[in-house]
Amino acid sequence: MIELSNVVKEYTVIKKKSGLSGSIKSLFKPEKTIVRGVDGISFRIEKGEMVGYLGPNGAGKSTTIKMLTGILHPTSGTVRIGGISPQENRKSVVKQLGVVFGQRTQLYWDLRLGESFELLKRIYRIDEETYQSNLEMMYEVLGIDQLINTPVRQLSLGQRMKGDLAAAMLHSPSILFLDEPTIGLDVEAKQNIRSFIREMNAKRGTTIILTTHDLDDVEQLCKRLIVINHGKVVEDGPLSELILRMAPYRLLVLDLSEMPDPQTLHHHGAELIKQEGLKLTYRFHKSDISASELISGLSAKLSVVDLGVKEPDIEDMIREMYRSSSTA
Amino acid sequence: MVTAIRYHVSVAYFFAKLAVQRQLEYPLFLVSWFLMIPLQYISGVWVLKLMVEQFQALAGWTFPQLAFLYGLGLLSHGLSVIFFIQTWHIDNMVIRGDFDRMLLRPMNVFFQFVVNYVNFIGIIDLIPGFLIFFYGCAQVGFEWTLVNVLKLAAVVIGGMFIRASICTIMGSAAFWTKRSGSLISLTLATMERTTMYPLSVYPKVIQLALTFILPIGFISFYPATDFIGQEDGFTLPVGLAIWTPIVGIVTFAVSHFIFQSGLKRYESAGS
Ligand SMILES: Nc1ncnc2c1ncn2[C@@H]1O[C@H](COP(=O)(O)OP(=O)(O)OP(=O)(O)O)[C@@H](O)[C@H]1O
Ligand SMILES: [Mg+2]
């Protein structure tokens, strides 16, 4: 469906020199440097998938999305959407795409939200019936009916983002690219946007590619993750599998009623990583021992009053992935 | 074909409608409009008066002929301010990554760029042009026959396209140089100077350049020589005025081509 193979994107950056002599010099002999935004990326995404595209700042996420949506031409490699190149056949590809860049609105700053929609209706040649039913749906899911007559520049960030999402869905695209759609939003607005994304994926079967730095987005939305760093793919797989592989540890926290005998603290299936007075923290491998086995083993020796098992979290996993790929 | 035309016209019309509506909404708009009209009028008259006093015959052109020439150039200038002012800012748009939005839409980017804005307020820029031109017409005894009026319309519209194309070409350089600069202001200043006086006051090299490289001569000079029967310095085929719309179409096609080639090198903006 969506296919990238060995895609490289190099940017030409002109170094600005300081001072008058510097700027005269660079006028006649500009000093150009090449920046590799994306350095040989390949992946494939099937119809109806919901994929998180992650990576640290400057990893090349936005660059990839701009190539997938026909904004940028790759320096080398091929990009295909439904078998067609968005660069050679831009118009027919972008017809089926919805794109939202959280950092920059695609709406017209000085138009009312509704006017922007009307304009899109004409540009995409959306027939009246589809337009109305899509608009209806956006009103319902995003609750933007009150905003339709507000100029875009007067919208708050969260309202504008909802407007952008609605605008991206008006022509019923089969693929939706979301580049940081929850950036800078409050908890409530984030939830709205997440349920919108889930709904589009579930009800319409829209393929969704999402970049974000918000781990709750990842946890709640993405079944599959593609992680990049320095312009290269470092991980690609189902979320649960990646967690298991990158952050396989679980933690068991015990509260005791009396000071334990140091001899009794040891357990063969787990490692005691912290002891603070009556609070003990064990780390264990999901595949080595089950939580219940460990608990019954330890509570036989210790006077346990309370306990808690902490699952490995996405934060640990992401940190681990970014760290290991940076040193590699 | 018909549906394609209807589609483009409907989008262009809607953009124009929104642009006009937007400008009318600004409360200050009408005030400044009413203030600007007399100002523009006065400036037009003042320029004329200056011309009468200072411009005497130049390169064999009498003063009324000069007024006709200058006025003709101002008319296409005014039209390009209304319909093509966005071509003055291509370089900044390239640097800021403003073409992203247009690239995401299933419509020709150059078309979107051109119809995207109509500078309705720019209509007042036409006032001095009309004043000076009608003064010139009256003085040189311009005949308002149907043929002449049609020719005049073709020349003014052709001139607008030449101006817009030259700005588009200069602005598109930013796709390669990755910087916005003074190239467009330089071009605008050059166009202003060179449409004001007869081309024949310049050295032959410049005349050639302004005919074949940057065809500024076709904006006002060649058609004016045709309308008022002046010497043009070259012996181009007869009916010089007819050349303006042709050159307009050709340069516009060239500018479209250059813009499209530039767009392939477009790098958007970092954030
Ligand atoms: N228009 C541009 N011109 C020059 N360099 C660019 C441009 N856009 C991006 N880059 C560079 O390419 C690299 C990748 O940038 P990109 O915007 O794709 O990262 P990202 O993964 O989206 O980061 P973030 O999480 O910060 O949004 C960075 O080093 C950046 O400086
Ligand atoms: Mg980004």
Coordinates of all heavy atoms in Angstrom, one line a residue, chain A residues 114-175:
Chain A
G114 N -15.2 27.6 8.2 CA -16.1 27.1 7.2 C -15.7 27.5 5.8 O -16.0 26.7 4.8
E115 N -15.2 28.6 5.6 CA -14.7 29.1 4.2 C -13.6 28.2 3.7 O -13.5 27.8 2.6 CB -14.3 30.5 4.3 CG -15.5 31.5 4.4 CD -15.1 32.9 4.7 OE1 -13.9 33.1 5.1 OE2 -15.9 33.8 4.6
S116 N -12.7 27.9 4.7 CA -11.6 27.0 4.3 C -12.2 25.6 3.8 O -11.7 25.1 2.8 CB -10.7 26.7 5.5 OG -9.7 27.7 5.6
F117 N -13.2 25.2 4.5 CA -13.8 23.9 4.2 C -14.5 24.0 2.8 O -14.3 23.1 1.9 CB -14.9 23.5 5.2 CG -14.3 23.1 6.5 CD1 -15.1 22.9 7.6 CD2 -12.9 22.9 6.7 CE1 -14.6 22.5 8.9 CE2 -12.4 22.5 8.0 CZ -13.3 22.3 9.0
E118 N -15.2 25.1 2.6 CA -15.9 25.3 1.3 C -14.8 25.3 0.1 O -15.1 24.8 -1.0 CB -16.6 26.7 1.3 CG -17.9 26.7 2.1 CD -19.0 26.1 1.3 OE1 -19.0 26.1 0.1 OE2 -19.9 25.5 2.0
L119 N -13.7 25.9 0.4 CA -12.7 26.0 -0.6 C -12.1 24.6 -0.9 O -12.0 24.2 -2.1 CB -11.5 26.9 -0.1 CG -10.4 27.3 -1.0 CD1 -11.0 28.1 -2.2 CD2 -9.4 28.1 -0.3
L120 N -11.9 23.8 0.1 CA -11.5 22.4 -0.1 C -12.5 21.6 -0.8 O -12.2 20.8 -1.7 CB -11.1 21.8 1.3 CG -9.9 22.4 2.0 CD1 -9.8 21.8 3.4 CD2 -8.7 22.1 1.2
K121 N -13.7 21.9 -0.5 CA -14.8 21.2 -1.2 C -14.7 21.4 -2.7 O -14.8 20.5 -3.5 CB -16.2 21.7 -0.7 CG -17.3 21.1 -1.4 CD -18.6 21.8 -1.1 CE -19.7 21.3 -1.9 NZ -20.8 22.2 -2.1
R122 N -14.4 22.6 -3.1 CA -14.2 22.9 -4.6 C -12.9 22.3 -5.1 O -12.9 21.8 -6.2 CB -14.3 24.4 -4.8 CG -15.7 24.9 -4.7 CD -15.7 26.4 -4.8 NE -17.1 26.9 -4.9 CZ -17.9 26.9 -3.9 NH1 -17.5 26.5 -2.7 NH2 -19.2 27.4 -4.0
I123 N -11.8 22.5 -4.4 CA -10.6 22.0 -4.9 C -10.6 20.5 -5.1 O -10.1 19.9 -6.1 CB -9.4 22.4 -4.0 CG1 -9.2 23.9 -4.1 CG2 -8.1 21.7 -4.4 CD1 -8.1 24.5 -3.2
Y124 N -11.2 19.8 -4.1 CA -11.2 18.3 -4.2 C -12.4 17.8 -4.9 O -12.6 16.6 -5.1 CB -11.2 17.7 -2.8 CG -9.9 17.7 -2.0 CD1 -9.6 18.8 -1.2 CD2 -9.0 16.7 -2.2 CE1 -8.4 18.8 -0.5 CE2 -7.7 16.8 -1.6 CZ -7.4 17.8 -0.7 OH -6.2 17.8 -0.1
R125 N -13.2 18.7 -5.4 CA -14.5 18.3 -6.1 C -15.3 17.3 -5.3 O -15.7 16.3 -5.8 CB -14.1 17.7 -7.5 CG -13.5 18.8 -8.4 CD -13.3 18.2 -9.8 NE -11.9 18.1 -10.1 CZ -11.4 18.0 -11.3 NH1 -12.3 18.0 -12.4 NH2 -10.2 18.0 -11.5
I126 N -15.6 17.7 -4.1 CA -16.4 16.8 -3.2 C -17.8 17.1 -3.5 O -18.3 18.3 -3.5 CB -16.1 17.1 -1.7 CG1 -14.6 17.1 -1.5 CG2 -16.8 16.1 -0.8 CD1 -14.2 17.7 -0.1
D127 N -18.6 16.1 -3.8 CA -20.0 16.3 -4.1 C -20.8 16.7 -2.8 O -20.4 16.4 -1.7 CB -20.7 15.2 -4.8 CG -20.8 13.9 -3.9 OD1 -21.6 13.9 -3.0 OD2 -20.0 13.0 -4.2
E128 N -21.9 17.4 -3.0 CA -22.6 18.0 -1.9 C -22.9 17.0 -0.8 O -22.8 17.3 0.4 CB -23.9 18.7 -2.4 CG -24.6 19.5 -1.4 CD -23.8 20.7 -0.8 OE1 -23.0 21.3 -1.6 OE2 -24.1 21.0 0.4
E129 N -23.4 15.9 -1.2 CA -23.9 14.9 -0.3 C -22.7 14.4 0.6 O -22.9 14.3 1.9 CB -24.5 13.7 -1.0 CG -25.5 12.9 -0.2 CD -26.0 11.7 -1.1 OE1 -26.3 12.0 -2.3 OE2 -26.1 10.6 -0.6
T130 N -21.6 14.0 0.0 CA -20.5 13.5 0.7 C -20.0 14.6 1.7 O -19.6 14.4 2.8 CB -19.3 13.1 -0.2 OG1 -19.9 12.4 -1.3 CG2 -18.3 12.3 0.4
Y131 N -19.9 15.8 1.1 CA -19.4 16.9 1.9 C -20.3 17.1 3.2 O -19.7 17.2 4.3 CB -19.5 18.2 1.1 CG -19.1 19.5 1.8 CD1 -17.7 19.7 2.1 CD2 -20.0 20.4 2.1 CE1 -17.3 20.8 2.7 CE2 -19.6 21.6 2.7 CZ -18.2 21.8 3.0 OH -17.8 22.9 3.7
Q132 N -21.6 17.1 3.0 CA -22.5 17.3 4.2 C -22.3 16.2 5.2 O -22.3 16.4 6.4 CB -23.9 17.5 3.7 CG -24.3 18.8 3.1 CD -23.9 20.0 3.9 OE1 -23.8 19.9 5.1 NE2 -23.8 21.2 3.2
S133 N -22.3 15.0 4.7 CA -22.2 13.9 5.6 C -20.9 13.8 6.4 O -20.8 13.5 7.5 CB -22.6 12.5 5.0 OG -21.4 12.0 4.3
N134 N -19.8 14.2 5.6 CA -18.5 14.2 6.3 C -18.4 15.4 7.3 O -17.9 15.2 8.4 CB -17.4 14.4 5.3 CG -16.9 13.1 4.6 OD1 -17.3 12.1 5.1 ND2 -16.2 13.2 3.5
L135 N -19.0 16.5 7.0 CA -19.0 17.6 7.9 C -19.8 17.3 9.1 O -19.4 17.6 10.2 CB -19.7 18.8 7.1 CG -19.3 20.2 7.6 CD1 -17.8 20.4 7.5 CD2 -20.0 21.3 6.7
E136 N -20.9 16.6 8.9 CA -21.8 16.2 10.0 C -21.0 15.3 11.0 O -21.0 15.5 12.2 CB -22.9 15.3 9.4 CG -24.2 15.3 10.2 CD -24.8 16.7 10.3 OE1 -24.7 17.5 9.4 OE2 -25.4 16.9 11.4
M137 N -20.2 14.4 10.4 CA -19.4 13.5 11.2 C -18.4 14.2 12.0 O -18.1 13.9 13.1 CB -18.8 12.4 10.3 CG -17.9 11.5 11.0 SD -17.7 10.0 10.0 CE -16.9 8.9 11.2
M138 N -17.7 15.2 11.3 CA -16.7 16.0 12.0 C -17.3 16.8 13.2 O -16.7 16.9 14.2 CB -16.0 16.9 11.0 CG -15.2 16.2 9.9 SD -14.1 15.0 10.6 CE -14.3 13.7 9.5
Y139 N -18.5 17.3 12.9 CA -19.1 18.1 14.0 C -19.3 17.2 15.2 O -19.1 17.5 16.3 CB -20.5 18.6 13.5 CG -20.5 19.7 12.6 CD1 -21.7 20.1 11.9 CD2 -19.3 20.4 12.3 CE1 -21.6 21.2 11.0 CE2 -19.3 21.5 11.4 CZ -20.5 21.9 10.8 OH -20.5 22.9 9.9
E140 N -19.8 16.0 14.9 CA -20.1 15.0 15.9 C -18.9 14.6 16.7 O -18.8 14.6 17.9 CB -20.8 13.8 15.3 CG -21.6 13.0 16.2 CD -22.2 11.9 15.4 OE1 -23.0 12.2 14.5 OE2 -21.9 10.7 15.7
V141 N -17.8 14.1 15.9 CA -16.7 13.6 16.6 C -15.8 14.6 17.2 O -15.2 14.4 18.3 CB -15.8 12.7 15.6 CG1 -14.7 12.0 16.3 CG2 -16.7 11.8 14.8
L142 N -15.6 15.8 16.5 CA -14.7 16.8 17.0 C -15.4 17.9 17.7 O -14.7 18.8 18.4 CB -13.8 17.3 15.9 CG -12.9 16.3 15.2 CD1 -12.3 16.8 13.9 CD2 -11.7 16.0 16.2
G143 N -16.7 18.0 17.6 CA -17.4 19.1 18.2 C -17.0 20.5 17.8 O -16.8 21.4 18.6
I144 N -16.9 20.7 16.5 CA -16.4 22.0 16.0 C -17.5 22.8 15.4 O -17.2 23.8 14.8 CB -15.3 21.8 14.9 CG1 -15.7 20.8 13.9 CG2 -14.0 21.4 15.5 CD1 -14.8 20.8 12.7
D145 N -18.8 22.4 15.5 CA -19.8 23.1 14.9 C -19.9 24.6 15.3 O -20.3 25.5 14.6 CB -21.2 22.4 15.0 CG -21.3 21.6 16.3 OD1 -20.3 21.3 16.9 OD2 -22.4 21.3 16.7
Q146 N -19.5 24.8 16.6 CA -19.5 26.2 17.1 C -18.4 27.1 16.4 O -18.5 28.3 16.5 CB -19.3 26.2 18.6 CG -20.2 25.4 19.4 CD -21.7 25.8 19.2 OE1 -21.9 27.0 19.2 NE2 -22.6 24.8 19.1
L147 N -17.4 26.5 15.9 CA -16.3 27.2 15.4 C -16.3 27.6 14.0 O -15.4 28.3 13.5 CB -15.0 26.4 15.7 CG -14.8 25.9 17.1 CD1 -13.6 25.0 17.2 CD2 -14.6 27.1 18.0
I148 N -17.3 27.1 13.3 CA -17.3 27.1 11.8 C -17.2 28.6 11.3 O -16.7 28.8 10.2 CB -18.5 26.3 11.3 CG1 -18.2 25.8 9.9 CG2 -19.8 27.1 11.3 CD1 -17.4 24.5 10.0
N149 N -17.7 29.5 12.1 CA -17.7 30.9 11.6 C -16.6 31.7 12.2 O -16.6 33.0 12.1 CB -19.0 31.6 11.8 CG -20.0 31.1 10.8 OD1 -19.7 31.0 9.6 ND2 -21.3 30.9 11.2
T150 N -15.6 31.1 12.8 CA -14.5 31.8 13.5 C -13.4 31.8 12.5 O -13.0 30.8 11.9 CB -14.1 31.1 14.7 OG1 -15.3 30.8 15.5 CG2 -13.2 31.9 15.6
P151 N -12.7 33.0 12.3 CA -11.5 33.0 11.5 C -10.4 32.2 12.1 O -10.3 32.1 13.3 CB -11.1 34.5 11.5 CG -12.3 35.3 11.9 CD -13.1 34.4 12.8
V152 N -9.7 31.5 11.3 CA -8.7 30.5 11.8 C -7.7 31.1 12.7 O -7.3 30.6 13.7 CB -8.0 29.8 10.6 CG1 -6.9 29.0 11.0 CG2 -9.0 29.0 9.8
R153 N -7.3 32.4 12.4 CA -6.3 33.0 13.3 C -6.8 33.2 14.7 O -6.1 33.5 15.6 CB -5.9 34.3 12.7 CG -6.9 35.5 12.7 CD -6.3 36.7 12.0 NE -7.2 37.0 10.9 CZ -8.4 37.7 11.0 NH1 -8.8 38.1 12.2 NH2 -9.2 37.9 10.0
Q154 N -8.2 33.2 14.9 CA -8.7 33.4 16.2 C -8.9 32.1 17.0 O -9.3 32.1 18.2 CB -10.1 34.2 16.2 CG -9.9 35.6 15.8 CD -11.3 36.3 15.5 OE1 -12.3 35.7 15.9 NE2 -11.3 37.4 14.9
L155 N -8.6 31.0 16.4 CA -8.8 29.7 17.0 C -7.7 29.4 18.0 O -6.6 29.8 17.7 CB -8.9 28.6 16.0 CG -10.1 28.6 15.0 CD1 -9.9 27.5 14.0 CD2 -11.4 28.5 15.8
S156 N -8.0 28.8 19.1 CA -6.9 28.3 20.0 C -6.2 27.2 19.3 O -6.7 26.6 18.4 CB -7.5 27.9 21.3 OG -8.1 26.6 21.2
L157 N -5.0 26.8 19.9 CA -4.3 25.8 19.2 C -5.1 24.5 19.1 O -5.1 23.9 18.1 CB -3.0 25.5 20.1 CG -2.0 24.5 19.5 CD1 -1.5 24.8 18.2 CD2 -0.9 24.2 20.5
G158 N -5.8 24.1 20.2 CA -6.5 22.9 20.2 C -7.7 22.9 19.2 O -7.9 22.0 18.5
Q159 N -8.3 24.1 19.1 CA -9.5 24.3 18.2 C -8.9 24.2 16.7 O -9.5 23.6 15.9 CB -10.1 25.6 18.4 CG -10.9 25.7 19.8 CD -11.3 27.1 20.1 OE1 -10.7 28.1 19.6 NE2 -12.4 27.2 20.9
R160 N -7.8 24.9 16.5 CA -7.2 24.9 15.2 C -6.8 23.5 14.8 O -7.0 23.1 13.6 CB -6.0 25.8 15.2 CG -5.5 26.2 13.9 CD -4.0 26.2 13.8 NE -3.5 24.9 13.6 CZ -2.3 24.5 13.9 NH1 -1.5 25.3 14.5 NH2 -1.9 23.3 13.7
M161 N -6.3 22.7 15.7 CA -5.9 21.3 15.4 C -7.1 20.5 14.9 O -7.0 19.7 14.0 CB -5.2 20.7 16.6 CG -4.3 19.5 16.2 SD -2.8 20.1 15.5 CE -1.8 20.4 17.0
K162 N -8.2 20.7 15.7 CA -9.4 20.0 15.3 C -9.9 20.4 13.9 O -10.3 19.6 13.1 CB -10.5 20.2 16.3 CG -10.3 19.5 17.6 CD -11.3 19.9 18.7 CE -11.0 19.3 20.0 NZ -11.9 19.7 21.1
G163 N -9.8 21.7 13.6 CA -10.1 22.2 12.3 C -9.3 21.6 11.3 O -9.8 21.2 10.2
D164 N -8.0 21.5 11.5 CA -7.1 20.9 10.6 C -7.4 19.4 10.3 O -7.4 18.9 9.2 CB -5.6 21.0 11.1 CG -4.8 22.1 10.4 OD1 -4.8 22.0 9.2 OD2 -4.3 23.0 11.1
L165 N -7.8 18.7 11.4 CA -8.1 17.3 11.3 C -9.4 17.1 10.4 O -9.5 16.3 9.5 CB -8.4 16.6 12.6 CG -7.1 16.3 13.4 CD1 -7.5 16.0 14.9 CD2 -6.4 15.1 12.8
A166 N -10.4 18.0 10.7 CA -11.6 17.9 9.9 C -11.3 18.2 8.5 O -11.8 17.5 7.6 CB -12.6 18.9 10.5
A167 N -10.5 19.3 8.2 CA -10.2 19.6 6.8 C -9.5 18.5 6.1 O -9.7 18.2 4.9 CB -9.3 20.9 6.8
A168 N -8.7 17.7 6.9 CA -8.0 16.6 6.2 C -8.9 15.5 5.9 O -8.5 14.6 5.1 CB -6.8 16.2 7.1
M169 N -10.1 15.4 6.5 CA -10.9 14.2 6.3 C -12.1 14.5 5.4 O -12.9 13.6 5.0 CB -11.5 13.8 7.6 CG -10.5 13.1 8.6 SD -9.6 11.7 7.8 CE -11.0 10.5 7.6
L170 N -12.3 15.8 5.0 CA -13.5 16.1 4.2 C -13.6 15.3 2.9 O -14.7 15.0 2.5 CB -13.4 17.6 3.9 CG -13.8 18.6 5.0 CD1 -13.6 20.0 4.5 CD2 -15.2 18.3 5.5
H171 N -12.5 15.0 2.3 CA -12.6 14.4 1.0 C -12.5 12.8 1.1 O -12.1 12.2 0.2 CB -11.5 14.9 0.0 CG -10.1 14.8 0.6 ND1 -9.7 15.6 1.6 CD2 -9.1 14.0 0.3 CE1 -8.4 15.3 1.9 NE2 -8.0 14.4 1.1
S172 N -12.7 12.4 2.3 CA -12.7 10.9 2.7 C -11.4 10.2 2.2 O -11.5 9.3 1.4 CB -13.9 10.2 2.0 OG -15.0 11.0 1.9
P173 N -10.3 10.7 2.7 CA -9.0 10.1 2.2 C -8.9 8.7 2.8 O -9.5 8.3 3.8 CB -7.9 11.0 2.8 CG -8.6 11.5 4.0 CD -10.0 11.7 3.7
S174 N -8.2 7.8 2.1 CA -8.0 6.5 2.6 C -6.7 6.4 3.5 O -6.6 5.4 4.2 CB -7.9 5.5 1.4 OG -6.9 5.8 0.5
I175 N -5.9 7.4 3.4 CA -4.7 7.4 4.2 C -4.6 8.7 4.9 O -4.8 9.8 4.3 CB -3.4 7.2 3.4 CG1 -3.5 5.9 2.6 CG2 -2.2 7.2 4.3 CD1 -2.3 5.8 1.6

